[in-house]
Amino acid sequence: MTHIVTRLCLRDTACVDVCPVECMVLGKPEEEWPWLYIDPDTCIDCGACVPECPYEAIFPEEEVPFDYEAPAGVWIANTKELLPDGAAFEGDVDGHDVKLLNAKQLSGGEILDLTEDIPPNYDFFSEGPGYDALD
C-alpha cells in the first residue's frame, strides 16, 4: 500500500522535505493536477509525510475516509471540473502562505468522500497526461 494525498492538500511542500525516498511530486500543470502526489511504486509506506502536512491531507490508502466531516474553515483544492464553484486564492491558511488556482473554503459539516482522490494519485504516475509533469 501507499499513502494518498487528498483534496485537502494546499500544495505545502513540508512533506516533500521529510520523504526518505523522494516519492512526492508537486502536480504540474496545477490546473490539471492541483495537489501533491505520491509515487505508489516508490513509496515505502513509512508515514513520515503524514505529521508534516499542516492540512492533514495525507492518509494511508486503506484509511482514506469516505465520510470525512470537514471542520469549519477547512480549504479544499481541485480542478475546475471537479470543483466548479472554486476560485483562485492567495493568502494565509493556518500560518502558511498559500497560492491556489482553484480552491474553496468550507463552512463546516460538509461530508467529503476523499476516496475519490485515490484514482488521480495513480493516474498522475501512469502514462496519462500527468506523466509529462515529471519532466
Side-chain angles (χ1 to χ4, degrees):
M1 287 299 179
T2 188
H3 280 69
I4 300 293
V5 180
T6 65
R7 70 191 90 162
L8 301 172
C9 174
L10 301 184
R11 298 176 70 88
D12 182 279
T13 57
C15 54
V16 174
D17 296 335
V18 299
C19 180
V21 293
E22 299 178 358
C23 69
M24 305 189 80
V25 176
L26 194 58
K28 293 179 184 177
E30 184 181 347
E31 59 272 0
E32 291 179 50
W33 306 100
W35 53 76
L36 283 132
Y37 299 88
I38 298 175
D39 185 345
D41 294 329
T42 307
C43 179
I44 58 172
D45 206 27
C46 69
C49 55
V50 175
E52 293 300 316
C53 178
Y55 311 112
E56 299 179 0
I58 307 170
F59 300 88
E61 183 174 1
E62 63 276 4
E63 295 177 22
V64 175
F66 64 89
D67 59 352
Y68 175 83
E69 186 172 348
V74 75
W75 284 85
I76 58 173
N78 215 326
T79 63
K80 197 65 174 166
E81 178 184 349
L82 295 174
L83 187 62
D85 56 344
F89 173 78
E90 186 171 352
D92 179 80
V93 177
D94 298 331
H96 298 266
D97 289 328
V98 172
K99 184 177 180 182
L100 301 165
L101 289 181
N102 194 55
K104 176 182 175 182
Q105 187 174 34
L106 303 179
S107 58
E110 292 94 331
I111 304 298
L112 305 175
D113 180 359
L114 296 180
T115 63
E116 296 170 351
D117 300 338
I118 296 172
N121 189 79
Y122 287 95
D123 293 345
F124 183 82
F125 289 99
S126 72
E127 295 295 325
Y131 187 78
D132 293 335
L134 298 174
D135 295 333

